[in-house]
Every structure is written in structure tokens, then in C-alpha cells.
Amino acid sequence: MSSTSTTGTDWTRRSAAELADALAAGEVTSVELTQAHLDRIAAVDGDADAGVHAFLHVDAEGALEQARASDARRAAGEPASYLDGVPIAVKDVMTTTGLPTTCGSKMLEGWVPPYDSTVVAKLKAAGLPILGKTNMDEFAMGSSTEHSAYGPTRNPWDLTRIPGGSGGGSAAAVAAFEAPLAIGTDTGGSIRQPGAVTGTVGVKPTYGGVSRHGLVALANSLDQAGPVTRTVLDSALLHELIGGHDPLDSTSISEAVPALVDAARQGASGDVSGLRVGVITELRGGEGWQPGVLARFDEALEALVAAGAEVVEVSCPNIVHAIAAYYLILPAECSSNLAKFDAMRYGLRVLPEGVESPSAEAVMRASRDAGFGDEVKRRIILGTYALSSGYYDAYYGQAQKLRTLISRDFTAAFEQVDVLVSPTAPTTAFALGEKLDDPLAMYAGDLATIPANLAGIPGISVPAGLADEDGLPVGFQVLAPALADDRVYRVGAAVEALLEKKWGHALWAQAPELTTRQGADA
Ligand code: GLN
């Protein structure tokens, strides 16, 4: 297999920072790195029926062309950025000129956008070859990637398990060494929860810190794009590259991106003396929390204490209502966003069967029925109901009030501590199919990630080890006040460094070998 070069180096097992250094030192070319990852994709990604299935579209030709251009820049001594030439995968919710963008939906099957999202434009300007587009729950609704209209992604740690969602494709691609870096989006946890269950790092930036221009909206007031990587430093490098003000996004903030790479490097020293860490009382266990998740969380806390942090418990009492508030606000916003897919202006057009000269309404009904999956329909109905006059105050209005109370809880908590921590998700990866017919059980898994989206604050999930019960990855979440993204990197990098020291290796070094398209070739 050519992912192992002639020198015996497997470039797919390196961090993005290591790859950037190797490129700068002339040890490897971007074409070689890109080809190594394309070979890995060909070997393990499979398809909807078997394999990891992290990708919906692989753009081998385009990626290699970008890699050749990158090598030419390096040869001329003019790299466009530190990461110039390091390949990346992009969630299929980001528009890409010349590459399909389906959002995991039949509604957008075959759509090739005429413009790049700002995030993608920044990646291209910085010289990162785009390997392809990753699988996701339809329009980013879900926690398992099983709601993709193109079949589920499988967790590289156990192909019978979910990779998290909605961005399971990006997390699985990085966990399976198909890409060193990926872009995800996090509306209620879709970067952090897949990160937790695949043993990768995922960051949800401060709301407005990364442009939403060209991010097909799920819920505008909650959506935020961010990095998906195997190391905290790699996330910081990527975040600095994609972050910053964008005049094309009216909710983009004007504050400069904090020095995230510096913060990650500082944290990697493992010195957290004087750091005040608050454990969120409401996310500390109880019904539905897996013992192995709590055990790994406690160990990470102990490591922080041993390294000089002061750990206290802090209550955020309104967090217990976060799921209820989110599952009113999100459906309200998405029912409005998805109204544009009406077969007239956007999206799939299906003519109702056996009807001569059907009315516009009949075409809309047939198209939306065929184009949207069950979860999307469920949320459209819920959102339309919550926004209807007569119910607006009782549901949407109440949810907005709760959102304010949750934000206030965080503000009060951050007066006492520098960061708040919790397990990222209450359980490890569940089995494919296990929660598919039980939406409420699926929603319940979002309890630890949703509050940050409601409050607009940044959060990271870093690997905390493997649960004893099932040997599957557990995530440790760090939250900080809005605009203090550097803090989540500093503390995330410290947790990573302290745990890796204890284990003697990075968690991903334990990832199972996926040497063939397991099952796909059988
Ligand atoms: N699991 C959450 C949901 O289903 C989060 C989705 C997301 O962040 N895109 O809405």
C-alpha cells in the first residue's frame, strides 16, 4: 500500500503539525501526503454498506491538483501558510465550488454550489488540499450520522457502532487516519460529541468567531464551524486559520481570534497551577450516565489537581432545561430555514404521481415528502407548531427565556472559575440502530454539549481514555466564557499532555487497525 512511502514512514499517522514541519523541512511533498491519505481512504472507507464510510465525495483529482500547486509554492519558497500542503476533509454542509454539497440529504443530491463558503475559501487560500466532503446526519440533525440519506458512517473503533453526529463523517475520517484535519459544524454538539466517541479532538468556537457564510444553516443562532483533529495543537492551528471577522456574515464578531496556538503550546507543558476548574454539578452523573465515562472523567480531574489546578463544583441549575429549550429553538429555526426547499426556488423537484397539471402546492408536497427524511420532517413539524400563533409564547418564548437563564448561569459560574468541565457525552458510542427509533433517547445524549451552543460560549472535547465496560473512547469537555477560546485550548492541551504522560502514548495510538475495507471485501 502506498500510504507507506519508500522510506517506511506512514504519513497518515502523523499530526498536522508534524506534517507541516516535514513539508517545511523538505522531507515529503504535498502530493505524497495527499496521495497517502487518498490511498488510506480507498483502503478503509468502503461505502454505505461496509467500511468506515466517512466520505460522501472524494475529490482525488482536485486534491492532487491543489497539492501540486502547494509543492510549487514550497519550491519557490513561498508557502501560503504553515499548513500549506496538509490535506483536509470538509463536512458536506459547507459549500464548495465545483464539488457537490448535499448536507446528507436527497433534497440537495447532485447540487454543485457556485461559491465557496468562507471557511473553504480560507482553506484554499492557505493551500490545504481538500480531500473530499464528509458524511453527516441530514441537514446536521442527529447524534449518530444514521440520519444521512446516503447511509451511516461507522465508528473506526468498532464498525458496529455510531461515530457520533451530526458530523460523524469528519470525526471518523480523522480517527481512521483518512485525513489529518477536518472541518465540522456544531449546533448542539456535532463537533464535540463525535470527537468524544471517536477519540478525537473537536472544538466549538465562540459563536460568531468563525464565519457561517456558506454553511448551510440548520439553526442560525446556534451553528458554528470548527476544527476536528487528533491533537489539540492541530485544532488550534486550524482554528486560527478559519477564524476571524467576515463581512459576509452579519453575525460574525469583529474581535480578533485569540492566540490559540500559543495557548495550546502553553497548556502542553502540563502546568495548570492556579487554574480554577469548575465541575458542573448537573453534568456529573445520574440516570443515563455510563460508569466508565464518569471514571475516565474523574481520572482527568485528578490529573489536573495533581498538576496544580484547584477543582470545585459549580452548579448551573438551569442546564437541566437545556435539552427542552434547544429542541424548541432549533426546530423553530430549521423549519424556517428549510422552507426554501420548495421545488420552485431550491432543491429536488418531484412531480406527484398520476396527477395531470399538478398545482405548485402538490409539487411542493411531493418534493418535500421525497426529499426530506423522517428526522427532518419531525423537526419541521415541531418547529412550525412551536412558532404558530397561539403557541408561540407558550413554547418558543419560554425556550428563549430559558436560554437567557442558562447564559446567566454560565456568567455567574465564570465569576468563580476560569473554565467549566464535564464529560462531553454521557455514554460511549452506542450500537448502530440502537436509538434510531427513539428520538428522545437520541436527544438525551446531547445534554452536556447543548448548553454551550445556547450560550454562545466555546468548548473543546479531548480524549479522556477508554471506558472499562466496552473499551470505547470517552471525551472530556472544557468550556470557557465567550471570546476566551484560548482558555479551552490551554486547558484542553494540558489535559491531553497530562493523560498522554500517564498512558505513555496518545489515545489514537491505540486505535484498532483497519487494514482492509472490513466487510466490504468479504
Ligand atoms: N445532536 C444535536 C441535534 O441533533 C446536534 C446537532 C448539531 O450540532 N448539528 O440537533
Side-chain angles (χ1 to χ4, degrees):
M1 185 116 69
S2 56
S3 61
T4 306
S5 81
T6 44
T7 56
T9 306
D10 185 349
W11 295 108
T12 65
R13 303 300 160 123
R14 304 286 193 90
S15 70
E18 287 168 344
L19 296 179
D21 288 341
L23 284 166
E27 289 164 19
V28 68
T29 64
S30 176
V31 167
E32 285 169 328
L33 288 187
T34 303
Q35 189 61 54
H37 286 93
L38 289 169
D39 289 346
R40 176 73 182 167
I41 294 169
V44 302
D45 206 53
D47 51 30
D49 298 321
V52 179
H53 194 226
F55 284 87
L56 291 179
H57 325 280
V58 177
D59 184 24
E61 228 171 88
L64 287 169
E65 194 183 307
Q66 293 162 48
R68 280 191 290 274
S70 168
D71 288 335
R73 280 191 298 274
R74 291 260 178 208
E78 289 168 355
S81 71
Y82 173 64
L83 291 176
D84 192 343
V86 179
I88 188 164
V90 177
K91 188 175 179 182
D92 206 28
V93 71
M94 286 284 175
T95 60
T96 38
T97 321
L99 257 189
T101 299
T102 67
C103 296
S105 181
K106 290 280 174 212
M107 188 53 92
L108 285 175
E109 190 165 21
W111 181 53
V112 179
Y115 71 106
D116 279 326
S117 51
T118 296
V119 165
V120 167
K122 287 190 178 204
L123 296 177
K124 287 184 177 171
L128 286 77
I130 295 173
L131 295 164
K133 306 294 291 292
T134 57
N135 198 10
M136 54 184 283
D137 283 299
E138 185 173 8
F139 287 107
M141 300 181 203
S143 309
S144 69
T145 316
E146 292 167 292
H147 295 307
S148 167
Y150 304 100
T153 295
R154 297 174 193 84
N155 192 321
W157 289 80
D158 177 346
L159 295 174
T160 68
R161 306 267 180 157
I162 59 108
S166 63
S170 282
V174 168
F177 309 103
E178 296 174 74
L181 300 168
I183 295 291
T185 60
D186 192 311
T187 303
S190 288
I191 291 176
R192 289 163 289 155
Q193 180 258 12
V197 302
T198 60
T200 53
V201 175
V203 177
K204 177 225 170 273
T206 291
Y207 180 78
V210 175
S211 171
R212 288 188 302 107
H213 174 69
L215 189 183
V216 179
L218 166 54
N220 312 49
S221 76
L222 301 160
D223 297 342
Q224 195 56 204
V228 175
T229 62
R230 286 189 298 267
T231 72
V232 175
L233 177 63
D234 283 359
S235 273
L237 288 163
L238 184 54
H239 188 160
E240 281 195 3
L241 209 150
I242 60 174
H245 181 67
D246 180 10
L248 297 175
D249 171 5
S250 62
T251 57
S252 166
I253 54 180
S254 50
E255 282 82 356
V257 186
L260 309 174
V261 173
D262 285 353
R265 289 222 160 94
Q266 208 188 329
S269 72
D271 180 9
V272 285
S273 45
L275 180 79
R276 293 170 306 162
V277 177
V279 177
I280 303 174
T281 312
E282 289 73 16
L283 301 177
R284 186 108 178 77
E287 208 195 316
W289 287 85
Q290 194 176 317
V293 167
L294 298 171
R296 293 296 89 83
F297 175 70
D298 286 343
E299 277 173 16
L301 276 184
E302 282 162 23
L304 282 171
V305 172
E310 182 197 323
V311 176
V312 293
E313 253 199 44
V314 183
S315 173
C316 295
N318 292 291
I319 270 188
V320 297
H321 304 301
I323 291 185
Y326 173 88
Y327 280 100
L328 284 166
I329 292 168
L330 177 136
E333 293 189 24
C334 85
S335 68
S336 156
N337 280 324
L338 297 182
K340 63 177 169 281
F341 297 107
D342 58 5
M344 304 292 146
R345 293 169 298 166
Y346 295 101
L348 178 82
R349 173 176 295 192
V350 171
L351 298 178
E353 248 172 75
V355 185
E356 231 177 277
S357 335
S359 65
E361 206 172 75
V363 175
M364 282 181 207
R365 192 178 307 123
S367 301
R368 286 168 70 82
D369 186 32
F372 289 137
D374 288 349
E375 182 62 24
V376 171
K377 285 177 184 151
R378 184 179 296 126
R379 295 200 196 188
I380 290 174
I381 292 168
L382 207 63
T384 312
Y385 182 78
L387 287 176
S388 55
S389 70
Y391 291 114
Y392 186 93
D393 288 337
Y395 294 113
Y396 186 74
Q398 289 293 95
Q400 290 292 16
K401 283 181 194 159
L402 278 170
R403 186 174 190 172
T404 303
L405 293 176
I406 289 164
S407 287
R408 285 189 194 157
D409 280 357
F410 278 129
T411 307
F414 287 127
E415 276 167 16
Q416 298 172 54
V417 293
D418 302 309
V419 291
L420 289 166
V421 298
S422 76
T424 310
T427 68
T428 56
F430 45 90
L432 286 159
E434 191 180 323
K435 297 190 180 172
L436 202 49
D437 299 324
D438 188 351
L440 292 183
M442 186 89 87
Y443 301 167
D446 299 337
L447 83 171
T449 47
I450 279 174
N453 300 80
L454 289 171
I457 62 174
I460 193 171
S461 178
V462 295
L466 305 176
D468 301 319
E469 306 85 63
D470 50 24
L472 290 170
V474 172
F476 184 90
Q477 175 175 245
V478 183
L479 304 173
L483 303 177
D485 300 52
D486 49 339
R487 258 186 241 176
V488 307
Y489 282 100
R490 188 178 148 223
V491 180
V495 171
E496 177 185 60
L498 294 167
L499 291 178
E500 288 185 1
K501 196 167 150 204
K502 185 174 150 184
W503 303 328
H505 54 75
L507 187 77
W508 50 268
Q510 271 175 282
E513 205 39 61
L514 295 170
T515 44
T516 62
R517 300 167 40 178
Q518 301 187 338
D521 295 330

